[in-house]
Amino acid sequence: GGVCCAPGTAGDGSYCIGCRANTFAPVHGLATCLPCPANAAAGNSSANCTCGAGYEGLITSGEPGEEDGRCAVCEAGTASAEGGECVACAEGTFGAEARLAECSACTANSTSPPGSTHWSNCTCDATFYRPASGVDACCGAGHVHNPGEARCDPCPAGTFQAAHEACTLCAPGTSSPPGATTCAPCAADSFAQAGQAACTACPENATAPVGSTSLWNCTCSAGVVVTAGAGAAVCGACSAGTFAAPSGGGCLPCPLFATSPSGSGGIANCSCSPGYYGPAGGEGNCTACPPGLTSLLGAGGVGGC
């Protein structure tokens, strides 16, 4: 009796050899190994052929026309790894064509139902939006589509986005960081022109109301005046013996024989010097104390001598 070759091998009855790669022997006693059909493959000494990625099936027969002898195509919306079954694309993925080894992921910030067949089946997550019909992107609030880079970029600093429109410059008196949906008013003592990323602080010793739009909205604080530059470019304290003019345009000297501390905001800060007396605040003439008498700073009458 001859040798009966086992599956995975073939021979003429006197010997058996293992089948080469991409051939197979599914049953005992074959004289030659059979070639794997299209879209299937096998390793050495195989008893069957495995369908490739994008197909499903296990080839266990070499008889043509048998149902278990063919590889089935994975249709759009499904995929398979080598030797696997066609499985519906998972949630958040899609298969746009047949014969896929794996499904494609939806673009960032979007998802899709299982078995989806096109990227348009991916819907943007809550708070994200599709920039335009036919655009495979989901942008968040404060972001716009960059078609050249196929991504969503934040609106630049100093701009904002309202209702998924183009980025718009912030109005004077407001500012914004990148990716903003609104522009915030400038805080007190600062200002901004249109399109600023951050508000600019007023000079030292100057103040401005909320939402100021220009350096000219900054005014020198009480007791200080403009000492150089235009507007409030430079503010400084009035020196001792002077006080800030009501108009804010300079320092005025206290009345004769009166003095004041530095940074005084008005004539009321002027007091009669030691050895003199006069009305409170120095509003009027300061009179010398009688001979042989003196007074402290700010004496209001001769009784203070």
Side-chain angles (χ1 to χ4, degrees), residues 67 164 195 207 224:
E67 291 300 318
H164 305 158
T207 61
V224 295

Side-chain angles (χ1 to χ4, degrees), residues 224-225 238 243-252 264-266:
V224 295
V225 295
C238 289
F243 61 93
S247 64
C251 297
L252 298 177
S264 293

Side-chain angles (χ1 to χ4, degrees), residues 195-305:
Q196 284 195 207
C199 299
T200 304
C202 287
E204 187 177 2
N205 299 319
T207 61
V210 171
S212 290
T213 61
S214 168
L215 172 65
W216 312 117
N217 297 125
C218 300
T219 55
C220 290
S221 306
V224 295
V225 295
V226 175
T227 56
V234 179
C235 294
C238 289
S239 60
T242 65
F243 61 93
S247 64
C251 297
L252 298 177
C254 288
L256 190 64
F257 306 125
T259 189
S260 65
S262 62
S264 293
I267 193 172
N269 297 113
C270 297
S271 301
C272 289
S273 301
Y276 293 84
Y277 66 92
E283 297 186 31
N285 294 327
C286 290
T287 304
C289 288
L293 298 177
T294 188
S295 67
L296 299 174
L297 175 65
V302 68
C305 295

